[in-house]
């Protein structure tokens, strides 16, 4: 199956430059053929509602670019014929599509109070903040990495990138979380970093293969008996690391 397309949704006006910059960066990483970017590509005379739904349906991922313009004109989302609302509703209705809110221009994630009910689920998707000064680093390291090899049906990325592994380490008195890429073995997230003198005192107590396109964060319970992994598909997976047992999956990082 071919690589899935990526739909970039944004509000025209203030957010156009930011969305264009994101498009150009992803084009250099993924190729133009994988991106649907602008409503100018809608053929004349077609039903735009049906066309946008069809385009979203062909995608494996949906990037909702949220900037100052998006928030300033949030009331337009309450109109059923608003392009941005149509696109978001189509993406959120398809569980196989990876929906990533992309926060730009220093904005925060919108709250449920400013959104129509049909878009409330957007607030449960883990967002990626893209600061201007670290634009390329964040887009390449977080967004593009999550999209490379992603198939149209939402299956696990191709062998070039496999689901990360959460590894738990302990030295008996303290606990360290370490997220390791299966291919490179390079730590991606590390909550506590032992000093060189303490390095030999840590031992690996578990290595868990998580069913997610991208693990964004890991954390232990206060007593160290449970491991929570926050995933890019909007779930939190709870594990018993000592017994290597999956306990449950929570839907949605936050309301």
């Amino acid at each position: 199956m071919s690589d899935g397309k990526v739909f970039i949704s944004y509000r025209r006006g203030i957010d156009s430059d930011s969305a264009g910059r994101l498009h150009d960066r992803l084009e250099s990483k993924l190729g133009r053929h994988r991106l649907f970017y602008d409503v100018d590509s809608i053929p004349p005379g077609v039903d735009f509602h049906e066309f946008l739904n069809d385009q979203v349906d062909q995608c494996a991922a949906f990037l909702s670019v949220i900037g100052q313009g998006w928030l300033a004109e949030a009331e337009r989302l309450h109109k059923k014929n608003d392009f941005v609302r149509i696109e978001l509703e189509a993406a959120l209705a398809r569980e196989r599509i990876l929906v990533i809110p992309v926060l730009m221009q220093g904005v925060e994630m919108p709250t449920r109070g400013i959104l129509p009910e049909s878009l409330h689920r957007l607030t449960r998707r883990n967002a990626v903040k893209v600061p201007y000064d670290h634009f390329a680093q964040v887009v390449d390291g977080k967004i593009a990495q999550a999209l490379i090899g992603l198939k149209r049906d939402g299956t696990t990325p191709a062998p070039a990138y496999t689901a990360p592994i959460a590894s738990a380490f302990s030295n008996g008195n303290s606990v360290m979380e370490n997220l390791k890429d299966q291919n490179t073995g390079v730590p991606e997230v590390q909550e506590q970093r032992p000093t060189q003198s303490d390095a030999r005192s840590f031992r690996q107590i578990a290595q868990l293969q998580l069913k997610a396109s991208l693990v964004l964060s890991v954390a232990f319970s206060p007593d160290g008996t449970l491991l929570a992994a926050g995933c890019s598909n909007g779930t939190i997976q709870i594990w018993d690391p000592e017994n290597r047992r999956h306990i449950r999956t929570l839907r949605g990082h936050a309301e």
Side-chain angles (χ1 to χ4, degrees):
M1 180 174 290
S2 60
D3 290 342
K5 292 185 178 181
V6 179
F7 195 109
I8 301 177
S9 171
Y10 69 102
R11 177 71 70 192
R12 288 193 177 203
I14 297 176
D15 298 342
S16 295
D17 289 344
S18 296
R21 190 181 180 199
L22 175 65
H23 170 273
D24 292 345
R25 188 71 189 182
L26 290 176
E27 182 181 11
S28 68
K29 298 295 180 181
L30 307 177
R32 178 177 297 181
H33 68 286
R34 289 194 60 192
L35 303 177
F36 181 88
Y37 169 63
D38 210 316
V39 293
D40 285 343
S41 58
I42 299 179
V46 304
D47 185 313
F48 66 85
H49 194 289
E50 293 182 0
F51 181 83
L52 290 173
N53 267 277
D54 181 65
Q55 291 297 315
V56 172
D57 186 61
Q58 296 180 40
C59 294
F62 183 95
L63 305 182
S64 178
V65 178
I66 301 175
Q68 295 176 4
W70 197 101
L71 291 179
E73 300 184 25
E75 71 280 356
R76 293 175 59 181
L77 295 170
H78 291 267
K79 299 179 180 179
K80 293 185 178 181
N81 64 346
D82 177 61
F83 278 16
V84 175
R85 172 173 174 166
I86 294 171
E87 295 164 359
L88 277 167
E89 286 178 338
L92 292 170
R94 294 164 170 83
E95 292 186 2
R96 61 174 175 78
I97 295 180
L98 176 64
V99 178
I100 304 177
V102 181
L103 307 181
M104 309 187 78
Q105 304 165 13
V107 304
E108 297 295 329
M109 189 68 182
T111 61
R112 291 163 58 102
I114 68 171
L115 301 175
E117 186 176 356
S118 61
L119 301 184
H120 284 181
R121 283 176 294 171
L122 178 65
T123 63
R124 295 166 51 184
R125 300 303 178 104
N126 198 44
V128 175
K129 287 188 176 183
V130 184
Y132 184 86
D133 293 341
H134 302 284
F135 179 87
Q137 179 183 357
V138 174
V139 172
D140 294 353
K142 291 189 176 181
I143 300 177
Q145 189 66 60
L147 302 176
I148 292 175
L150 190 65
K151 303 303 180 182
R152 179 181 172 183
D153 62 358
T155 54
T156 303
Y161 179 76
T162 55
I165 294 175
S167 297
F169 296 81
S170 174
N171 66 353
N173 297 318
S174 61
V175 178
M176 178 182 72
E177 299 99 61
N178 186 7
L179 184 62
K180 183 181 296 183
D181 185 284
Q182 188 176 22
N183 296 308
T184 65
V186 177
E188 293 291 329
V189 176
Q190 186 165 296
E191 296 295 336
Q192 301 176 23
R193 185 182 301 274
T195 64
Q196 184 174 2
S197 60
D198 292 335
R200 292 185 179 181
S201 65
F202 283 85
R203 64 184 179 89
Q204 181 172 326
I205 61 175
Q207 181 168 293
L208 311 172
Q209 183 70 44
L210 306 180
K211 296 179 179 180
S213 57
L214 186 65
V215 175
L216 302 178
S217 60
V218 293
F220 278 91
S221 60
D223 60 3
T225 60
L226 297 177
L227 174 69
C231 305
S232 61
N233 62 359
T235 65
I236 298 177
Q237 295 194 30
I238 309 298
W239 287 76
D240 174 355
E242 183 174 356
N243 297 308
R244 297 169 177 81
R245 181 172 63 90
H246 176 257
I247 298 177
R248 65 181 302 184
T249 297
L250 305 178
R251 301 289 177 181
H253 282 57
E255 289 294 329

